[in-house]
Amino acid sequence: MWRHFLKGRGDFGEWRDAARAFLSAGIVPERIDWSSAADADGLFGTGENRLPPADPQGRPTTVSAGFLKLAEAVICHSDPARFGLLYRMLFRLKAERHLIEMTTDPDVAAARRMSKSVGRDYHKMTAFVRFKEMPQRQGFAGRRRFLAWFEPDHFIVARVAPFFQRRFTDMDWLILTPNGSASWDGDLLRTTDEPAEKPDLTDETDQLWQTYYANIFNPARLKVKMMMTEMPKKYWKNLPEAELIPSLIANAEASVLDMARRQASEPKLFHHRIQEAAARVPQPDMPIAGTIAALKEEARHCTRCPIHCNATQTVFGEGPADAATMFVGEQPGDQEDLAGRPFVGPAGKLFNEVIGAAGIDRRSLYITNAVKHFKYEPRGKRRIHQKPNMGEVQQCRWWLARELELVKPKLVVAMGATALYALTDRKDRLEDVRGRPIAMDEERTLFVTVHPSFLLRIPDEGRKADELARFREEVSLVSRLSR
């Protein structure tokens, strides 16, 4: 039986060197008793560690970068069983090369739990260390010096010290903990695993910090369980703002009611100046009733369907009020919603290029959409287009009908199935009616083609080229029909 003592304060190298020697000699995990030097006392002192001679027939063992990364984190854990756990995994890796990927394996699962706990401790230290400025001697003109005390659960000081070096590189600092210390003087980052004693820390800025915390505390968003998860009570004793927390929680409901009363009675800051400035701005003349301009102004306040709730603004049609040709798309996209104009995004750029090649001046066209607001689904920072449903198209058809009445185009081009449905109330297959003129009434012709965004979404380059060529031919036919 081999008994090996380690200092066990987060030094990966001391475990690695011993584990390499035992592995090289082929010592099975059950024959090694890994112990922390802190556990050794009295009659059974640490003594001198003995390592077995290497097996001349043995082959060197290589491990993946994933195991090394995991082991470097686990070795910082405070559980004495971590040394044996890591060696057991290392020994098994000789025969089980993909062990680290078996997340359901008990050893792997235990190691990952330890690694996660170390990572959480790392995060808490970066969040809850509070520096206190140390007084300088009279006449000293050097860098300011700061001191902090923290009580981590694990041996993470050396692991987290580079973060503080990068974050506070412009000041000298010393962080003391029961598990070691770290310091930075502008030139050299030093760490030690020797335990430190808690200093008597006082700082005149504590009161300023408490004032800041009390003012940013929002009682309306208070979630006590979540706060206790993110800021466990064990850290409170070293946080100057923590002594305010019980009273802030106790008075949260009254504070929310007070905020509601003030919101109803007090104007926002500079409100009177804003009102005075607004009064000096000349008011634009209201458009003449019965015109496209008046219809556009009315549409700015449209609430006929729920899409308007999340859209930035109404995107109304644009172009000459007596245009002979009207193009109708589906709905505005992300860029159109922000700009307030139809067909200015990627599909709009393709549209402009194709009509330009066909000899059509965009300024001669009236361009609009079947739906006037942007319907989307938020995904992170992106807004992903969502197709409007039939009910939403029907609600917005009222605006499209008014546009047709006022502009009186001779030729209406429906781009896509949604536009076709909005114009005709028919659900024909686009392929069945595409590419040929259709009489809408005695004075108006309908022409159906695809929406430019359809072309942009085709993944196959060959099919995309064919569809684009067909779209160009159809737009050229529109150019001839509009003459």
Side-chain angles (χ1 to χ4, degrees), residues 143-186:
R143 285 158 54 100
R144 299 167 68 190
R145 299 182 303 158
F146 293 81
L147 181 65
W149 171 258
F150 187 74
E151 299 176 20
D153 293 331
H154 307 298
F155 301 99
I156 60 170
V157 174
R159 188 174 179 86
V160 75
F163 166 85
F164 288 99
Q165 177 195 354
R166 296 189 300 270
R167 180 67 178 82
F168 301 104
T169 190
D170 61 338
M171 68 187 200
D172 294 349
W173 50 260
L174 171 63
I175 301 176
L176 304 175
T177 85
N179 295 338
S181 305
S183 65
W184 168 250
D185 62 4

Side-chain angles (χ1 to χ4, degrees), residues 36 50 63 68 83 129 135 145 162 191 241 264 268 274 288 320 354 358 364 438 453 459 464 476 478 482-483:
S36 170
R50 291 185 305 109
V63 296
L68 287 176
F83 309 121
V129 161
R145 299 182 303 158
T191 60
E241 68 271 25
K268 295 181 179 180
I274 295 172
I288 300 172
V354 172
S364 69
I438 303 170
S453 63
K464 178 183 287 189
S476 296
V478 168
S482 61
R483 291 172 188 164

Side-chain angles (χ1 to χ4, degrees), residues 90-350:
L90 180 64
F91 194 87
R92 290 176 60 189
L93 280 169
K94 293 195 300 182
E96 303 172 58
R97 300 300 299 170
H98 299 288
L99 172 65
I100 195 69
E101 300 170 11
M102 299 169 60
T103 56
T104 57
D105 180 88
D107 287 343
V108 176
R112 290 189 183 277
R113 282 195 300 270
M114 289 186 184
S115 175
K116 186 175 181 180
S117 180
V118 168
R120 186 162 50 246
D121 206 29
Y122 179 111
H123 169 70
K124 297 302 183 187
M125 185 168 179
T126 62
F128 296 135
V129 161
R130 296 288 186 267
F131 285 106
K132 314 283 186 177
E133 187 164 9
M134 301 171 64
Q136 304 278 29
R137 65 178 181 272
Q138 190 71 24
F140 183 78
R143 285 158 54 100
R144 299 167 68 190
R145 299 182 303 158
F146 293 81
L147 181 65
W149 171 258
F150 187 74
E151 299 176 20
D153 293 331
H154 307 298
F155 301 99
I156 60 170
V157 174
R159 188 174 179 86
V160 75
F163 166 85
F164 288 99
Q165 177 195 354
R166 296 189 300 270
R167 180 67 178 82
F168 301 104
T169 190
D170 61 338
M171 68 187 200
D172 294 349
W173 50 260
L174 171 63
I175 301 176
L176 304 175
T177 85
N179 295 338
S181 305
S183 65
W184 168 250
D185 62 4
D187 295 316
L188 185 62
L189 177 66
R190 298 180 177 88
T191 60
T192 174
D193 57 18
E194 295 301 320
E197 294 185 1
K198 183 177 181 179
D200 182 15
L201 297 176
T202 57
D203 193 336
E204 295 178 355
T205 60
D206 281 356
Q207 187 174 358
L208 179 63
W209 180 257
Q210 290 175 341
T211 301
Y212 167 75
Y213 186 81
N215 279 275
I216 65 169
F217 179 80
N218 185 353
R221 301 185 63 183
L222 176 63
K223 295 182 179 179
V224 177
K225 289 185 178 180
M226 179 63 70
M227 185 185 72
M228 298 296 287
T229 300
E230 294 300 319
M231 187 190 288
K233 269 194 171 182
K234 66 181 180 181
Y235 298 112
W236 289 18
K237 58 186 176 182
N238 297 317
L239 300 176
E241 68 271 25
E243 63 185 67
L244 301 177
I245 294 176
S247 62
L248 290 173
I249 293 175
N251 298 323
E253 184 176 355
S255 298
V256 170
L257 294 175
D258 183 57
M259 288 170 60
R261 284 193 296 269
R262 286 187 285 112
Q263 181 70 22
S265 60
E266 296 180 8
K268 295 181 179 180
L269 296 175
F270 309 112
H271 177 77
H272 62 286
R273 296 183 186 178
I274 295 172
Q275 294 300 311
E276 291 171 2
R280 292 193 296 268
V281 176
Q283 296 298 315
D285 295 332
M286 293 301 294
I288 300 172
T291 63
I292 280 290
L295 189 65
K296 181 176 181 178
E297 177 64 25
E298 185 180 353
R300 287 181 59 239
H301 311 287
C302 176
T303 58
R304 298 176 69 89
C305 74
I307 302 179
H308 81 278
C309 297
N310 296 321
T312 304
Q313 58 190 314
T314 302
V315 181
F316 206 70
E318 68 174 21
D322 59 350
T325 304
M326 176 187 289
F327 276 80
V328 182
E330 180 194 65
Q331 69 163 354
D334 179 71
Q335 294 186 31
E336 287 81 1
D337 175 68
L338 298 175
R341 296 183 56 212
F343 284 87
V344 294
K349 292 178 181 177
L350 177 59

